[in-house]
Amino acid sequence: MKLGVVLSGGGAKGAYEAGFLKALSELNIQPDAIAGTSIGAITGAICSANIDIHKSADIVEKLWLELARETALQFDKKKLHLNLIDVISFFAPIPQTNIVKIINSLKISLSKEGILTNLPLINRLQKYAPPEMLKTGLPFYVGYSKSYGNFLDLLHFLNLKEIDAEYKKIQDLSDNEIHKAIMASAALPLLFDAIEVEGEHKRDGCLASQKEEWGNTPAYPLVKYEKCTHLIICHLNKGSSFNRLNPIFKNIPIIEIRPNENIFNNSLDSLSFKIEKIKEWMDFGYKDSIKILKDSIETIKLIQKRKAMEMLSDYSIEKLKNRNFKLNFDD
Amino acid sequence: MNDIIDNVKRKIKIHPEELKNIEDLHSNFNEKIILDIVNGISVVARDLNNKNKSLKGFSALNDKIRGNKKQRDELINDLFINAIEGVSLWLREHEKSLTAINYKIFKLSEELIKTQNEIIQFFNDYKNLKHSFIQFQKNIENKLQKLEDRILESEIKNDIDIEIEKLNNTGFGTEVELFIILDNLMSGRFGKWLIITQSKEKQRLLNYFFDKIKGKINNKMNQLLDTEKFYKQLNNLPNYEKKAINYIASVYRQLNPKPYYDTIDLFLIASKNNSEENFIKEINKNSHIRTFMSYNDFIEDLFEFFAKTYGGNIR
């Protein structure tokens, strides 16, 4: 058995995944490979680097409490200032030719920069999942998409235009590209810069989720390349269109953890890094995961037990037959 | 997730080929189907349905226009169809499993009943065999006992023959010879045999003994014992012989003091008195000693005395 764990993207809702990992740790479910997108890629990086699920669960919980106490989303003042000048000059009463206006619009739409800094997350990655640990950690894949500039990336984000998801195995990258790929997986258009990985700018994997959430829920590489035999997937979006019945998962038993109906009812939850919300979501993540995992595992264990008992009874009957008991079950 | 089955495989320590045969007997009803039923419906389909219900107003319209709702509805339908197929497979598997279990129980019960009958039969045979063996053992023991008895009887007859041969051959006189013969025989195998043996065999040997005596002194059997002659013959014996007879007679008398026996008292009185006069006086004093006693009476009285003394009963 080779167990792959998939961590979906969802911004601040990623605290739910801290609870999910705590549940895995409590049930002693050790993954053999990880895949993640966006915030799931950050969490996945910690799991991959630290290997042991108990240690990873503790660190991820700590990380979320740190992010909640500090300001996780910080504006990049320099870029904010330049953008502000562009906007002001666009609407300024000073005469501008139409060509200047068009050039200005094109400049904004083709830009691959965002207004927030990803420094807080980069610092955490450096602390809890440095490249040298990731290199020797659990096999780890991130989901991202090619960046076509803010305008088109936004259309992809709003699911108005289709784009293919891309996956990258972190262990295949050079040391200085590793964190870039993870951060690229979390680079939402307008908010964060698109990041260049292996010579091409990449954006958040969630941009490529028009079709069955392939980008935001990167289960594909774990099955296709890592040959995982079992998957546990933690979703952060309610009503995720991830399709477990897709033929690629034909022989793969999958347990999906999906947030219950009482959380993530606000569309801005992804940006809400407030301490009370983080704690609440971690708790929901833990409770949902424990219940779902226990239900699934208990059922499988019951069936296994039955099969095991049948094998035992067959074995005993074989022994009886070998002692000249005339038992014939073939007729 | 296969830890239970792996544990069982380790526990039963079976040859891999045999294990594979056993595993092949069970259909490969896998975890995928179970999880698609349990997790696919109660988690995934429920989540998709909740999402559909939660969208209202513009969001619902936008969702519908972009085809997301249709996509979720189709996914819910697919999940249900898949789960129902899985459940039907699961049920079929259960039915097969239950049928197989019941059939095994039926076969095992039949075999148990058969085995129980065989055990009962075996036990009865064993009991009969044991009984026969005990009977055989008893028969053998009886035969051996009879053989031993016959050998002993033969040996005793030999003893009797040897002792009776002494009659009229020692010069001690018939009475003393009879006393010595009886002392020897009754203190030996003959005496012991008389005590333990049943009457049929006892009578046969007693008859043999008396017949032997009669064969030797038949002419005297009805004659009356001459006490004076008896005294003289006894006193003609060397003194140590006389003392020995007195000693033996005294010991016997102490062992068997009552009732009075003519013969043993006659030996006691005769062996202790040195004069015939005193002997006659003492005889007269002991009125129980018969003055008219045939040799037949003498032999019977003396024999009975010895027999009683050794704890036997000749009658």
Side-chain angles (χ1 to χ4, degrees), chain A residues 17-248:
Chain A
E17 284 168 349
F20 162 68
L21 292 178
K22 189 179 169 188
L24 288 187
S25 165
E26 201 168 291
L27 297 171
N28 286 315
I29 299 173
Q30 173 64 45
D32 299 300
I34 313 277
T37 289
S38 193
I39 196 69
I42 311 283
T43 308
I46 293 169
C47 293
S48 165
N50 292 281
I51 300 171
D52 176 54
I53 187 66
H54 305 96
K55 193 177 171 191
S56 305
D58 288 346
I59 293 173
V60 170
E61 186 176 359
K62 195 173 151 193
L63 166 82
W64 276 99
L65 293 174
E66 279 176 16
L67 287 174
R69 286 194 188 98
E70 297 167 18
T71 313
L73 300 178
Q74 293 174 17
F75 286 105
D76 187 325
K77 286 173 187 166
K78 191 179 155 195
K79 281 189 246 168
L80 188 67
H81 184 68
L82 286 172
N83 284 336
L84 202 63
I85 289 170
D86 281 341
V87 172
I88 290 169
S89 63
F90 187 81
F91 291 105
I94 45 173
Q96 276 182 341
T97 63
N98 283 340
I99 294 170
V100 172
K101 282 191 175 183
I102 289 165
I103 290 170
N104 244 347
S105 303
L106 273 173
K107 188 184 161 195
I108 294 169
S109 63
L110 292 175
S111 166
K112 289 173 180 171
E113 290 184 350
I115 55 169
L116 298 176
T117 175
N118 54 17
L119 262 178
L121 290 176
I122 289 178
N123 290 341
R124 293 307 186 293
L125 272 184
Q126 199 58 48
K127 186 175 170 187
Y128 298 122
E132 61 273 16
M133 279 172 75
L134 281 164
K135 273 279 187 189
T136 55
L138 295 174
F140 175 42
Y141 293 80
V142 291
Y144 51 40
S145 58
K146 188 181 172 185
S147 174
Y148 294 93
N150 278 334
F151 179 71
L152 286 178
D153 291 348
L154 197 61
L155 292 182
H156 297 144
F157 177 67
L158 296 171
N159 287 344
L160 296 172
K161 193 173 186 317
E162 276 194 28
I163 186 175
D164 287 335
E166 295 176 26
Y167 309 104
K168 191 72 198 173
K169 187 175 184 181
I170 287 303
Q171 282 81 8
D172 290 344
L173 291 165
S174 61
D175 280 7
N176 62 345
E177 297 267 2
I178 285 177
H179 281 177
K180 283 184 185 175
I182 295 166
M183 292 313 298
S185 174
L188 279 170
L190 293 177
L191 293 180
F192 295 104
D193 294 349
I195 295 174
E196 191 177 330
V197 182
E198 294 182 314
E200 196 171 51
H201 281 83
K202 307 290 183 191
R203 282 274 189 205
D204 196 312
C206 74
L207 271 60
S209 290
Q210 298 81 5
K211 195 179 165 192
E212 298 180 3
E213 296 247 357
W214 282 121
N216 201 41
T217 306
Y220 181 87
L222 291 184
V223 175
K224 185 77 178 172
Y225 309 125
E226 211 52 43
K227 308 291 179 203
C228 284
T229 58
H230 293 68
L231 290 181
I232 300 179
I233 299 169
C234 184
H235 297 282
L236 296 178
N237 294 333
K238 293 180 83 170
S240 165
S241 59
F242 173 81
N243 184 5
R244 66 192 291 143
L245 303 178
N246 188 297
I248 193 173

Side-chain angles (χ1 to χ4, degrees), chain A residues 247-307:
Chain A
I248 193 173
F249 305 121
K250 192 182 170 194
N251 296 313
I252 311 290
I254 297 173
I255 299 176
E256 288 183 64
I257 311 293
R258 289 182 176 236
N260 73 51
E261 56 190 305
N262 300 318
I263 55 169
F264 303 150
N265 290 322
N266 190 324
S267 52
L268 291 176
D269 278 342
S270 302
L271 302 173
S272 184
F273 282 87
K274 291 176 189 164
I275 183 81
E276 63 275 16
K277 285 281 179 194
I278 298 295
K279 283 186 173 171
E280 187 189 346
W281 292 341
M282 282 201 293
D283 191 46
F284 269 118
Y286 169 73
K287 285 178 181 163
D288 285 353
S289 304
I290 282 281
K291 186 183 179 307
I292 293 168
L293 288 169
K294 274 191 173 173
D295 282 354
S296 303
I297 291 168
E298 281 305 309
T299 312
I300 288 171
K301 278 192 172 172
L302 273 175
I303 289 166
Q304 279 190 344
K305 229 179 207 173
R306 194 205 69 195
K307 190 174 172 182

Side-chain angles (χ1 to χ4, degrees), chain B residues 30-228:
Chain B
N30 59 37
E31 295 162 3
K32 166 81 176 160
I33 296 170
I34 305 296
L35 289 178
D36 282 349
I37 297 166
V38 176
N39 188 250
I41 297 299
S42 65
V43 176
V44 182
R46 186 189 292 272
D47 174 50
L48 295 168
N49 194 41
N50 285 339
K51 176 74 179 179
N52 281 345
K53 286 193 286 186
S54 71
L55 292 170
K56 290 189 172 65
F58 175 74
S59 304
L61 185 66
N62 179 42
D63 198 59
K64 203 170 181 179
I65 291 167
R66 288 164 62 185
N68 292 344
K69 187 179 181 301
K70 189 177 173 239
Q71 197 182 348
R72 280 195 295 273
D73 285 341
E74 282 173 1
L75 193 49
I76 291 171
N77 288 340
D78 288 346
L79 285 166
F80 267 92
I81 291 165
N82 185 64
I84 287 166
E85 279 174 359
V87 168
S88 72
L89 262 176
W90 197 353
L91 271 174
R92 203 185 314 158
E93 171 73 10
H94 262 276
E95 289 304 319
K96 270 167 67 181
S97 175
L98 277 173
T99 308
I101 289 166
N102 283 325
Y103 190 60
K104 281 178 198 170
I105 291 171
F106 160 69
K107 280 282 186 181
L108 279 169
S109 305
E110 273 202 328
E111 193 60 27
L112 268 177
I113 291 164
K114 216 168 99 187
T115 308
Q116 191 191 34
N117 289 339
E118 282 171 3
I119 288 169
I120 290 167
Q121 182 60 44
F122 175 78
F123 184 66
N124 287 336
D125 290 351
Y126 164 76
K127 277 206 295 192
N128 291 338
L129 192 70
K130 191 180 171 189
H131 180 72
S132 303
F133 178 75
I134 290 168
Q135 278 303 112
F136 173 74
Q137 196 181 15
K138 277 182 183 167
N139 286 343
I140 291 291
E141 278 172 2
N142 282 340
K143 284 196 179 352
L144 278 173
Q145 190 58 48
K146 278 181 182 169
L147 190 66
E148 268 183 34
D149 287 350
R150 286 179 78 98
I151 291 168
L152 185 64
E153 195 178 322
S154 169
E155 285 173 345
I156 290 168
K157 280 179 178 172
N158 194 39
D159 290 349
I160 291 169
D161 290 348
I162 291 167
E163 288 300 326
I164 297 296
E165 202 53 43
K166 290 173 184 170
L167 266 176
N168 298 334
N169 283 329
T170 62
F172 296 159
T174 308
E175 297 81 358
V176 174
E177 282 170 345
L178 283 168
F179 182 86
I180 293 166
I181 289 166
L182 280 172
D183 174 40
N184 286 344
L185 287 174
M186 296 305 280
S187 63
R189 282 184 288 205
F190 182 46
K192 191 180 168 190
W193 190 84
L194 282 177
I195 294 165
I196 58 170
T197 310
Q198 289 173 356
S199 56
K200 191 180 162 192
E201 287 80 17
K202 189 189 281 182
Q203 198 54 49
R204 195 168 62 226
L205 206 61
L206 281 172
N207 290 341
Y208 180 82
F209 171 69
F210 285 109
D211 288 349
K212 273 280 171 182
I213 291 176
K214 281 176 191 168
K216 204 75 172 157
I217 54 166
N218 196 32
N219 55 333
K220 277 191 175 178
M221 290 305 278
N222 292 323
Q223 281 181 23
L224 291 175
L225 191 119
D226 182 347
T227 49
E228 287 171 19

Side-chain angles (χ1 to χ4, degrees), chain B residues 216-249:
Chain B
K216 204 75 172 157
I217 54 166
N218 196 32
N219 55 333
K220 277 191 175 178
M221 290 305 278
N222 292 323
Q223 281 181 23
L224 291 175
L225 191 119
D226 182 347
T227 49
E228 287 171 19
K229 190 182 168 192
F230 164 68
Y231 174 76
K232 281 174 187 162
Q233 277 179 335
L234 192 68
N235 274 280
N236 283 338
L237 292 174
N239 204 34
Y240 67 89
E241 297 271 17
K242 198 177 145 190
K243 277 187 175 175
I245 287 171
N246 182 259
Y247 175 74
I248 294 165

Side-chain angles (χ1 to χ4, degrees), chain B residues 198-311:
Chain B
Q198 289 173 356
S199 56
K200 191 180 162 192
E201 287 80 17
K202 189 189 281 182
Q203 198 54 49
R204 195 168 62 226
L205 206 61
L206 281 172
N207 290 341
Y208 180 82
F209 171 69
F210 285 109
D211 288 349
K212 273 280 171 182
I213 291 176
K214 281 176 191 168
K216 204 75 172 157
I217 54 166
N218 196 32
N219 55 333
K220 277 191 175 178
M221 290 305 278
N222 292 323
Q223 281 181 23
L224 291 175
L225 191 119
D226 182 347
T227 49
E228 287 171 19
K229 190 182 168 192
F230 164 68
Y231 174 76
K232 281 174 187 162
Q233 277 179 335
L234 192 68
N235 274 280
N236 283 338
L237 292 174
N239 204 34
Y240 67 89
E241 297 271 17
K242 198 177 145 190
K243 277 187 175 175
I245 287 171
N246 182 259
Y247 175 74
I248 294 165
S250 307
V251 171
Y252 277 132
R253 205 60 181 114
Q254 279 168 17
L255 290 171
N256 188 13
K258 282 182 181 175
Y260 296 119
Y261 285 93
D262 303 28
T263 47
I264 196 72
D265 290 342
L266 195 62
F267 276 99
L268 261 175
I269 293 164
S271 60
K272 77 175 182 185
N273 284 299
N274 288 327
S275 74
E276 192 177 346
E277 193 181 348
N278 289 340
F279 166 70
I280 291 167
K281 274 184 189 171
E282 204 168 340
I283 291 287
N284 290 335
K285 272 185 207 169
N286 288 281
S287 56
H288 67 279
I289 299 172
R290 287 169 286 180
T291 36
F292 299 103
M293 181 166 49
S294 69
Y295 275 94
N296 195 52
D297 296 338
F298 176 82
I299 291 166
E300 281 190 355
D301 188 78
L302 193 61
F303 185 84
E304 191 178 331
F305 170 75
F306 274 112
K308 289 274 184 192
T309 306
Y310 282 103

